[in-house]
Amino acid sequence: MISIGAAQLAERDLWDQKLMQGDCDLEAALMMVLHIGAPASPYLIARLEQAFMSYRDGLFDDLATPFGCAINQREKQREKHETHRSNVKFHVQSFSEQGYPLLNPNNYPETESAFTKTADLLKTVTATTAFDIHYDRDTRKRKARK
């Protein structure tokens, strides 16, 4: 038999109160109650049911929204951009380790380099863009424009 202590119940009630007052989101309250090991309160269960029903009814396109952990469009774009930059840097470094030189494609357009190989592989970047990303020139240009 599992025994639940008064301290666990008190902490659970504290998280319920934070959720009711808006001091935390549904995700944080649920995670903390699970971490504490106390049974979910009727209020928490009702909020979970409401979140799932709202999602099923089509009020949210992502279940993360009612839980309070959804990211906005700008953050999604930033993550996509950073993933793309990381992918380009990884491939440039990989081709460099295979012996392809890190030559500026603007200065040596006919020479096969790590940047031209990356551009050929990914098809979404040019060799010049791969060069700029590898040396973080793309972010410096963006900051200089601001």
Side-chain angles (χ1 to χ4, degrees), residues 128-145:
T128 304
T129 303
F131 178 82
D132 289 344
I133 290 172
H134 180 72
Y135 289 108
D136 293 324
R137 289 176 56 187
D138 63 322
T139 55
R140 278 187 260 151
K141 285 179 185 177
R142 194 174 310 115
K143 287 178 184 173
R145 277 188 240 141

Side-chain angles (χ1 to χ4, degrees), residues 13 18-19 22 27 31-32 36 40 50 55 63 65-66 72-73 75 78 83-84 87 123 129 141 143 146:
D13 293 341
K18 286 182 180 185
L19 181 60
E27 178 201 20
M31 295 306 290
M32 290 310 298
I36 295 164
Q50 179 186 12
Y55 175 70
L63 190 55
T65 304
N72 63 29
Q73 189 65 28
E75 290 170 329
R78 186 178 51 76
T83 301
H84 174 71
N87 192 23
K123 308 280 190 233
T129 303
K141 285 179 185 177
K143 287 178 184 173
K146 289 183 181 179

Side-chain angles (χ1 to χ4, degrees), residues 9-27:
L9 293 175
E11 193 168 350
R12 178 202 64 187
D13 293 341
L14 175 68
W15 282 100
D16 273 354
Q17 185 179 14
K18 286 182 180 185
L19 181 60
M20 287 180 203
Q21 294 173 348
D23 293 337
C24 71
D25 55 25
L26 184 57
E27 178 201 20

Side-chain angles (χ1 to χ4, degrees), residues 4-139:
I4 308 298
Q8 290 172 302
L9 293 175
E11 193 168 350
R12 178 202 64 187
D13 293 341
L14 175 68
W15 282 100
D16 273 354
Q17 185 179 14
K18 286 182 180 185
L19 181 60
M20 287 180 203
Q21 294 173 348
D23 293 337
C24 71
D25 55 25
L26 184 57
E27 178 201 20
L30 177 62
M31 295 306 290
M32 290 310 298
V33 168
L34 290 173
H35 178 72
I36 295 164
S41 68
Y43 177 73
L44 184 59
I45 291 171
R47 286 286 303 265
L48 289 169
E49 288 174 350
Q50 179 186 12
F52 283 111
M53 292 303 290
S54 298
Y55 175 70
R56 279 191 216 119
D57 292 343
L59 297 176
F60 304 109
D61 59 345
D62 186 0
L63 190 55
T65 304
F67 277 82
C69 57
I71 60 175
N72 63 29
Q73 189 65 28
R74 177 174 278 173
E75 290 170 329
K76 286 181 186 177
Q77 285 297 99
R78 186 178 51 76
E79 285 183 3
K80 183 179 175 184
H81 177 73
E82 287 302 316
T83 301
H84 174 71
R85 290 183 79 248
S86 175
N87 192 23
V88 169
K89 285 183 172 192
F90 170 80
H91 287 295
V92 168
Q93 185 64 33
S94 176
F95 283 122
S96 174
E97 290 170 359
Q98 293 175 27
Y100 291 96
L102 294 174
L103 299 174
N104 185 338
N106 292 327
N107 297 340
Y108 303 96
E110 301 300 320
T111 307
E112 191 170 57
S113 67
F115 305 111
T116 57
K117 294 294 285 182
T118 300
D120 291 343
L121 175 70
L122 296 180
K123 308 280 190 233
T124 58
V125 295
T126 63
T128 304
T129 303
F131 178 82
D132 289 344
I133 290 172
H134 180 72
Y135 289 108
D136 293 324
R137 289 176 56 187
D138 63 322
T139 55

